[in-house]
Amino acid sequence: MNNYKFIVNPIAGGGKADSLVPVIERIFKEHGIEFDIYWTKGRKDGIEAAEKAAREGFKCIVAVGGDGTVNEVLNGIVGTGAILATVHGGKGNDFATAVSMPSDIETACQVLLKGKTRSIDLGKVMDRYFINSVGIGFDAEIANRVNKGIKFMKGPSAYTYAFLEKLFSYRSVEAVIDLGNGPQKTKPLLIAVGIGQAYGGGMKIVPDAIQDDGLFDICVFDDSLPRLALAYHFPKVFSGKLKNVKQAQMYRASEITISLSEPRYLHMEGEIFFGDKMHFTIQPLGMTVLTGAGEPV
Ligand SMILES: [Mg+2]
């Protein structure tokens, strides 16, 4: 790899992403490697900036932010041949973890410089690409609540607050899900679709997901648990044990059609959408990403 474009979201991680820039500059200068830095100016700016960088011939586009920044860079470079990379710069860094990027920025820069790549599957829903995970329903409602901001709270405590707030107020709707073997009617609390295993900062919602098998891993969590029992069982998601709860059914499919009886939120790597019809398609090995796999952490 001989040239890198860093797309920095200066507000990601409450300023964490921005604080990594001096380290990146120092290390890349020391190595005499060509690089350039762009600071995003608002939502969706990262998409355009990444697309422009790829067009200008930058080989590796590095999202310096959280999963939302990764998703913007991804959507800018799909089809350009540029390589997607990231560092841990946000609140949620699930994609960075999924591609084994070390959380320490000095070590992460060494991994970037080595330039080891692999191809992983690329998902698409609602006209937008994703590389790690999507959730519909209860989890998206929580993500939306956190995105809107909870006064005086950040990080995990904001999620806990939103979880408790939505636990008793979220109303699930009927869903018809087709995984390629005919429609199934259900009433899910949430539906998660993953290429990677985790979302929301380490919640292993589809713990057996494989990034390059050409299939989505899907968790359909039906809404039959009393909400208090849900409060007890749901934290198991962090250890990947939610799959042992009988309400969580796991599936694999390459195409998914979901039709909800009323629109609900969908969260995709930090972005929130709203709708009632969702059609997921997968492009096997559709994106080349920079990986830290096999490197000392
Ligand atoms: Mg898979």
Side-chain angles (χ1 to χ4, degrees):
M1 209 84 60
N2 53 6
N3 60 6
Y4 295 76
K5 181 86 177 195
F6 293 88
I7 310 277
V8 182
N9 175 359
I11 59 165
K16 181 186 172 190
D18 205 30
S19 75
L20 305 178
V21 172
V23 184
I24 294 167
E25 282 182 314
R26 172 173 54 76
I27 294 174
F28 275 71
K29 273 181 192 156
E30 271 168 16
H31 284 79
I33 299 289
E34 190 193 333
F35 73 99
D36 191 38
I37 296 173
Y38 178 84
W39 282 268
T40 58
K41 290 165 184 70
R43 254 189 95 198
K44 293 195 176 164
D45 188 31
I47 301 177
E48 218 169 283
E51 201 233 319
K52 186 167 174 273
R55 220 174 34 228
E56 287 169 353
F58 285 94
K59 289 280 174 295
C60 182
I61 320 293
V62 189
V64 183
D67 290 307
T69 314
V70 170
N71 187 268
E72 289 203 350
V73 168
L74 169 74
N75 277 276
I77 68 171
V78 168
T80 66
I83 290 156
L84 175 69
T86 191
V87 294
H88 291 250
K91 281 199 288 277
N93 301 291
D94 292 301
F95 178 70
T97 304
V99 293
S100 313
M101 283 305 285
S103 53
D104 168 63
I105 187 61
E106 301 253 355
T107 324
C109 284
Q110 299 305 327
V111 168
L112 290 176
L113 287 165
K114 276 202 177 162
K116 186 174 162 190
T117 61
R118 66 179 288 216
S119 291
I120 66 174
D121 300 335
L122 179 64
K124 193 179 187 186
V125 67
M126 297 179 105
D127 271 328
R128 181 128 170 170
Y129 293 97
F130 66 98
I131 194 89
N132 197 49
S133 62
V134 167
I136 301 156
F138 180 64
D139 51 352
E141 192 89 18
I142 292 170
N144 184 51
R145 181 70 184 88
V146 172
N147 272 17
K148 277 198 212 155
I150 294 167
K151 264 188 183 171
F152 314 117
M153 285 188 192
K154 274 186 193 169
S157 57
Y159 275 95
T160 307
Y161 181 89
F163 175 83
L164 293 173
E165 188 186 287
K166 296 297 172 188
L167 179 65
F168 296 101
S169 67
Y170 181 73
R171 206 168 46 77
S172 56
V173 294
E174 301 272 337
V176 177
I177 305 174
D178 193 336
L179 302 173
N181 51 359
Q184 287 180 54
K185 229 178 164 180
T186 164
K187 197 177 181 191
L189 180 76
L190 67 88
I191 304 165
V193 177
I195 290 169
Q197 300 173 349
Y199 63 23
M203 298 163 80
K204 293 188 189 108
I205 190 76
V206 281
D208 299 325
I210 299 163
Q211 291 166 296
D212 57 2
D213 62 352
L215 297 168
F216 293 120
D217 270 47
I218 303 131
C219 172
V220 179
F221 196 101
D222 85 54
D223 195 10
S224 61
L225 263 182
R227 295 291 162 101
L228 264 179
L230 180 67
Y232 172 75
H233 287 295
F234 200 75
K236 292 180 182 171
V237 72
F238 287 100
S239 55
K241 297 263 166 58
L242 197 65
K243 64 178 179 176
N244 301 336
V245 178
K246 79 169 178 12
Q247 278 76 14
Q249 294 293 320
M250 301 289 176
Y251 304 94
R252 280 194 171 132
S254 60
E255 196 172 345
I256 311 160
T257 308
I258 298 170
S259 177
L260 305 176
S261 59
E262 280 174 51
R264 281 292 177 269
Y265 287 111
L266 174 151
H267 72 114
M268 175 192 295
E269 296 156 4
E271 287 295 303
I272 306 285
F273 299 84
F274 192 67
D276 56 1
K277 300 260 184 296
M278 293 138 189
H279 181 226
F280 290 78
T281 53
I282 198 162
Q283 218 172 297
L285 308 180
M287 180 54 53
T288 305
V289 301
L290 204 139
T291 174
E295 298 295 328
V297 179

